[in-house]
Amino acid sequence: MLTEQEALEHILTSVTPLPPRSVPLREALQSYAARAVHANIPLPGFDNSAMDGYAVRAEDTRTAEPLRVIGATAAGEISSITLEPHTAIRIFTGAPMPPGADAVIMQEDVSTDTEKKSIVCKEPVEPGENVRVLGCDLCVGQRIVDKGEPLNAARLAVLASQGLTHIDISEVPRIAVVTTGDELIPPGEPLPPGKLYNSNGIMLEAMLRSAGVTSPITIHHLRDNLEETVAALRQLTQRHDFIILSGGVSVGEHDYIKPALKALGVPAEFWRVKVKPGKPVLFAKTSTLSRPCHLFGLPGNPVSSHVTFHLFVRPALLKVLGAGAASLGLPRVNATLTRAMKNRGDRPHYIRGFHEDGKFTPTGVQQSHALFSLSRANAFLRMEPEQDLPEGAAVQALLCD
Ligand code: AMP
Ligand code: MG
């Protein structure tokens, strides 16, 4: 049985980002840059005023002598007038600095004489004051987005500031979610005795969306039947880059994922990982003519599906989407444990809990079927086998959604 680290390394060596494609910036939010982009326009692009006020020579503001206002300039205009000593030019935020001026005095800091068309400075300004200097934020040639970096609103804006309309991101993977089980009924239908509603379908689709998948996700459900499973997987592997299966990967007589893969000649690259919950997780890879298809068999218990998705599917998916190595793991935060915990098992146990104000509190029942307690959690605590943690222990929680 592989350790989590071995399983994850195996998966991450198997998956590679899809080829880049150029998309309009407005379609790139939450994607990852497929290549680095460098600035070709400095920010600011020219010296300009940070305030509504008067462009002046700073030395002229140190006396109470009135300064003659010889013109005005607004954002988008280039002043044709050069500032002479003891004069001022009315200026508005974002307007290029007129030649000869080295500072801007805020309009609140002058008294104006509209008849004489002059101002008197109430407060002196220093050279450079209220001036946004060319290139002080960003220089030409500086890297503005690195390969693998997530594109948030501000990064899209900085790309737009360069005059760019498009950015290269990795092509989006084609993904199928496949739930299995004769006992499962789609929500919305009557519930016969002994059956339960399919909740993993929506959960896995939502987790894919949370991880940044924007492409259509196809949703399927299979009965516990070998022929049906073989036929479905044969078809689905032709058309998808990722297939996320839930259930049917254990050793029961109704578990058909492994036999179906065997019948298709697709060996599991690994099956079973030393982790709780989620031990029977399976990973396989097959190639069609064009590109590989990765299959993740997640155990059907909702918490097992959830935890193994976070541990194994999410990093693989993020890598395919073009995320850099630093973004693949779950974010970690320091926390204090609010109650004593012991892991009596021989596998690392991912405890579901609630992290708030630097405290981690386990949420309810910690068994792999306990969907409600999972739904109250926003973090995991990974406990080593046999680990004993007292109340108040300093731990690291892994943030999950
Ligand atoms: P399996 O991994 O197929 O043996 O399923 C393990 C447990 O998870 C069983 O109790 C199933 O009823 C339950 N289960 C499997 N798939 C789902 C699903 N899609 N939604 C809710 N529960 C499920
Ligand atoms: Mg089943």
Side-chain angles (χ1 to χ4, degrees), residues 180-183 224 247-248 254-255:
T180 67
D182 287 346
E183 74 282 27
D224 293 322
H254 300 281
D255 293 326

mmCIF file of all heavy atoms in Angstrom, residues 180-183 224 247-248 254-255, ligand 2:
data_model
loop_
_atom_site.group_PDB
_atom_site.id
_atom_site.type_symbol
_atom_site.label_atom_id
_atom_site.label_comp_id
_atom_site.label_asym_id
_atom_site.label_seq_id
_atom_site.Cartn_x
_atom_site.Cartn_y
_atom_site.Cartn_z
ATOM 1 N N THR A 180 -21.510 5.586 -8.804
ATOM 2 C CA THR A 180 -21.939 4.190 -9.005
ATOM 3 C C THR A 180 -22.734 3.717 -7.795
ATOM 4 O O THR A 180 -22.488 4.187 -6.683
ATOM 5 C CB THR A 180 -20.719 3.254 -9.164
ATOM 6 O OG1 THR A 180 -20.011 3.206 -7.905
ATOM 7 C CG2 THR A 180 -19.775 3.720 -10.262
ATOM 8 N N GLY A 181 -23.641 2.820 -8.012
ATOM 9 C CA GLY A 181 -24.353 2.187 -6.887
ATOM 10 C C GLY A 181 -25.831 1.990 -7.144
ATOM 11 O O GLY A 181 -26.525 2.952 -7.488
ATOM 12 N N ASP A 182 -26.310 0.742 -6.977
ATOM 13 C CA ASP A 182 -27.730 0.420 -7.169
ATOM 14 C C ASP A 182 -28.615 1.079 -6.116
ATOM 15 O O ASP A 182 -29.810 1.223 -6.307
ATOM 16 C CB ASP A 182 -27.929 -1.106 -7.063
ATOM 17 C CG ASP A 182 -27.385 -1.824 -8.291
ATOM 18 O OD1 ASP A 182 -27.110 -1.136 -9.299
ATOM 19 O OD2 ASP A 182 -27.226 -3.056 -8.224
ATOM 20 N N GLU A 183 -27.996 1.422 -4.981
ATOM 21 C CA GLU A 183 -28.786 1.959 -3.866
ATOM 22 C C GLU A 183 -29.085 3.445 -4.016
ATOM 23 O O GLU A 183 -29.798 4.024 -3.208
ATOM 24 C CB GLU A 183 -28.045 1.709 -2.537
ATOM 25 C CG GLU A 183 -26.828 2.597 -2.254
ATOM 26 C CD GLU A 183 -25.539 2.211 -2.989
ATOM 27 O OE1 GLU A 183 -25.633 1.609 -4.077
ATOM 28 O OE2 GLU A 183 -24.450 2.534 -2.487
ATOM 29 N N ASP A 224 -24.541 -1.111 -10.407
ATOM 30 C CA ASP A 224 -23.474 -2.058 -10.059
ATOM 31 C C ASP A 224 -23.576 -3.259 -10.987
ATOM 32 O O ASP A 224 -24.195 -4.292 -10.660
ATOM 33 C CB ASP A 224 -23.611 -2.479 -8.581
ATOM 34 C CG ASP A 224 -23.345 -1.304 -7.645
ATOM 35 O OD1 ASP A 224 -22.447 -0.501 -7.939
ATOM 36 O OD2 ASP A 224 -24.050 -1.199 -6.623
ATOM 37 N N GLY A 247 -17.342 5.432 -5.626
ATOM 38 C CA GLY A 247 -17.898 4.130 -5.235
ATOM 39 C C GLY A 247 -17.401 3.003 -6.119
ATOM 40 O O GLY A 247 -16.781 3.218 -7.167
ATOM 41 N N GLY A 248 -17.660 1.772 -5.633
ATOM 42 C CA GLY A 248 -17.340 0.591 -6.437
ATOM 43 C C GLY A 248 -15.862 0.265 -6.541
ATOM 44 O O GLY A 248 -15.463 -0.495 -7.424
ATOM 45 N N HIS A 254 -20.088 -6.160 -5.167
ATOM 46 C CA HIS A 254 -20.795 -5.190 -6.011
ATOM 47 C C HIS A 254 -19.884 -4.061 -6.469
ATOM 48 O O HIS A 254 -20.348 -3.037 -6.923
ATOM 49 C CB HIS A 254 -22.002 -4.631 -5.252
ATOM 50 C CG HIS A 254 -22.964 -5.695 -4.860
ATOM 51 N ND1 HIS A 254 -23.865 -6.228 -5.753
ATOM 52 C CD2 HIS A 254 -23.131 -6.353 -3.692
ATOM 53 C CE1 HIS A 254 -24.564 -7.175 -5.129
ATOM 54 N NE2 HIS A 254 -24.132 -7.264 -3.874
ATOM 55 N N ASP A 255 -18.589 -4.261 -6.312
ATOM 56 C CA ASP A 255 -17.623 -3.215 -6.683
ATOM 57 C C ASP A 255 -17.016 -3.576 -8.034
ATOM 58 O O ASP A 255 -16.203 -4.497 -8.134
ATOM 59 C CB ASP A 255 -16.544 -3.083 -5.600
ATOM 60 C CG ASP A 255 -17.114 -2.546 -4.300
ATOM 61 O OD1 ASP A 255 -18.043 -1.716 -4.364
ATOM 62 O OD2 ASP A 255 -16.651 -2.969 -3.223
HETATM 63 MG MG MG B 2 -21.172 0.860 -4.263
#
